[in-house]
Amino acid sequence: MELKRVVVTGLGALTPIGNNLNEYWESLKNGVSGAAPITSFDPELFKTKFACELKNFDVSEHLDRKQIRTMDLFSQYAMVSSAEAMVDSGLDLESIDLDRTGVIWGSGIGGLKTFQEEAKEYWLGDGTPRFNPFFIPKMIVDIAAGHISMKYGLRGPNYVTVSACASSNNALIDATNLIRLGKSDVIVSGGSEACVNEHGIGGFNALRALSTRNDDPKTASRPFDVDREGFVLGEGSGAIILEELEHAKARGAKIYCEIVGSGLSADAHHLTAPHPDGLGAISVMKQAIAEAGISTSDIDYINVHGTSTPLGDIAETKAIKEVFGEDAYNLNISSTKSMTGHLLGAAGAIEAIACIMAIKDGVVPPTINHFTDDPEIDNKLNFTFNKAQEKEINYALSNTFGFGGHNTSVIFKSYKD
């Protein structure tokens, strides 16, 4: 069976450093930090008092009151970014087969704020079990894909992948494979997350996963720096329209790039820590490169998981050196989480978009907030510290790894007919 080719024809972004694709990309190129004191609740009693929140975002400009009332924030974010991507794609819903057009979304946690609000209302009330009739459909993780499909009448494959911080990369991989196998023509993919709330901050604080650099939030996310001490929690969404190549060409679509390789693995090691030698990360990068039919010397840019945790950054660097050997010194590496924070299940989506735009414009976004080299990390590698770099990019690889040992890699290629 000859596999179909899969291309990207639409993008949408709602992030802590930009509420649409263009704002997001400009901020990435300019090294803008999205970290600031939390505004959505009073964080005074929490160890971490800052996050990468959305800014100047009013959902009522995008959704009506009824929609807002029936959706958790993570679904609202999904609706906004997917709407931008649909417009960007130029898809005419009246001229495509809606039975072959699907939605495969990613989210690691889903409706955490909804669960928090309903639990609080019950436990602080008089004990009478009064719950919002939308409690369950607002909270469940799959509902974001459902909302997108209902808005556009998309009757193809429809579900949400859940693999912690690898969730939206898993969604992209599933969507790509369904199109490659000829089961769909178009799939709306990506991911969304909305965990900047008391339970999100408190839970990750309890794990000692978050930075507590409250005196200087903007420089708190420091991937590969010796003084890194945890990630910065982010929120938002990214949407990517994937399309079978001939389908896209037949309608004269704008084509950003092609998806040519992917990898999936498990560390089988620890609840929250990566394998110290990066075995799972090694596996997914090797799988992706083999599936793409290329060599390590072909990769120009890696958007790393790079969360700014002491163990994670070391393990990923070891994995890159193991996979790429001497070729590791010829490519660019960057962690855009240094700017956006960590969007958990949506991280893969917005980082895929960073790779796609890097290919399109020939610009590698930087890893900001680097001040001091870590002697345990090979700083002869080009981490694109503090300033974007112009470079022709034909192949870009994106890594995302999740709690539970979930690992994913996706390779994007500049499109050539």
Side-chain angles (χ1 to χ4, degrees), residues 317 320-321 328-329 331 333 377-383 385:
T317 304
I320 290 169
K321 291 183 66 176
Y329 299 96
L331 54 81
I333 297 165
I377 291 175
D378 186 349
N379 282 280
K380 292 181 181 178
L381 296 170
N382 185 359
F383 290 101
F385 283 136

Side-chain angles (χ1 to χ4, degrees), residues 38-295:
I38 291 169
T39 62
S40 57
F41 68 92
D42 183 358
E44 182 58 32
L45 298 178
F46 290 79
K47 294 176 184 177
T48 296
K49 300 173 175 54
F50 62 93
C52 287
E53 295 178 292
L54 299 182
K55 297 166 185 67
N56 303 313
F57 173 68
D58 183 355
V59 71
S60 67
E61 295 177 0
H62 303 272
L63 305 174
D64 62 38
R65 290 177 61 187
K66 181 180 178 181
Q67 290 175 306
I68 294 169
R69 188 164 53 89
T70 61
M71 293 182 195
D72 184 87
L73 290 174
F74 91 102
S75 291
Q76 295 175 22
Y77 298 167
M79 293 292 278
V80 173
S81 66
S82 61
E84 182 184 17
M86 289 292 280
V87 171
D88 186 45
S89 74
L91 279 166
D92 179 0
L93 297 178
E94 294 185 358
S95 64
I96 64 174
D97 186 346
L98 299 180
D99 290 320
R100 294 180 54 82
T101 305
V103 184
I104 302 179
W105 204 251
S107 186
I109 297 177
L112 185 61
K113 183 174 177 61
T114 292
F115 189 89
Q116 172 184 297
E117 290 173 344
E118 291 293 318
K120 181 179 179 181
E121 183 72 21
Y122 176 68
W123 290 111
L124 295 183
D126 61 6
T128 303
R130 298 186 183 92
F131 289 90
N132 189 311
F134 296 110
F135 172 32
I136 299 300
K138 285 175 70 174
M139 180 192 69
I140 52 179
V141 186
D142 69 289
I143 205 69
H147 280 302
I148 295 169
S149 70
M150 287 182 278
K151 176 176 180 179
Y152 298 105
L154 312 181
R155 298 188 295 268
N158 187 274
Y159 58 92
V160 166
T161 56
V162 182
S163 49
C165 307
S167 296
S168 49
N169 251 14
N170 269 119
L172 287 171
I173 292 168
D174 278 14
T176 297
N177 286 338
L178 286 176
I179 295 173
R180 292 176 78 197
L181 291 169
K183 293 179 179 293
S184 294
D185 298 325
V186 181
I187 295 182
V188 182
S189 193
S192 57
E193 206 78 90
C195 291
V196 181
N197 51 51
E198 293 90 334
H199 284 58
I201 294 292
F204 284 112
N205 269 160
L207 284 171
R208 299 182 180 178
L210 296 182
S211 169
T212 56
R213 202 180 298 277
N214 295 305
D215 59 337
D216 192 9
K218 287 192 177 300
T219 69
S221 183
R222 301 183 179 194
F224 310 108
D225 189 277
V226 72
D227 293 321
R228 67 190 182 280
E229 35 89 57
F231 70 80
V232 179
L233 189 60
E235 63 179 354
S237 180
I240 301 171
I241 308 299
L242 303 184
E243 193 165 352
E244 192 272 321
L245 174 60
E246 296 305 320
H247 188 276
K249 288 168 63 177
R251 68 180 186 86
K254 169 181 78 259
I255 295 175
Y256 282 99
C257 69
E258 187 172 358
I259 297 182
V260 293
S262 63
L264 301 162
S265 77
D267 281 343
H269 170 68
H270 190 272
L271 279 175
T272 58
H275 192 285
D277 296 322
L279 295 187
I282 290 169
S283 174
V284 291
M285 287 188 281
K286 284 185 173 180
Q287 289 176 48
I289 290 166
E291 185 176 278
I294 59 175
S295 68

Side-chain angles (χ1 to χ4, degrees), residues 320-389:
I320 290 169
K321 291 183 66 176
E322 175 65 27
V323 172
F324 287 85
E326 288 302 309
D327 291 327
Y329 299 96
N330 299 321
L331 54 81
N332 280 72
I333 297 165
S334 73
S335 171
T336 48
K337 288 185 181 73
S338 60
M339 295 173 274
T340 65
H342 192 353
L343 270 65
L344 308 178
I350 67 165
E351 289 159 18
I353 292 171
C355 288
I356 293 163
M357 294 302 292
I359 289 171
K360 175 181 177 291
D361 286 358
V363 177
V364 178
T367 305
I368 67 167
N369 297 331
H370 182 74
F371 303 98
T372 309
D373 290 348
D374 183 343
E376 293 192 60
I377 291 175
D378 186 349
N379 282 280
K380 292 181 181 178
L381 296 170
N382 185 359
F383 290 101
T384 324
F385 283 136
N386 298 322
K387 186 177 180 180
Q389 182 178 328

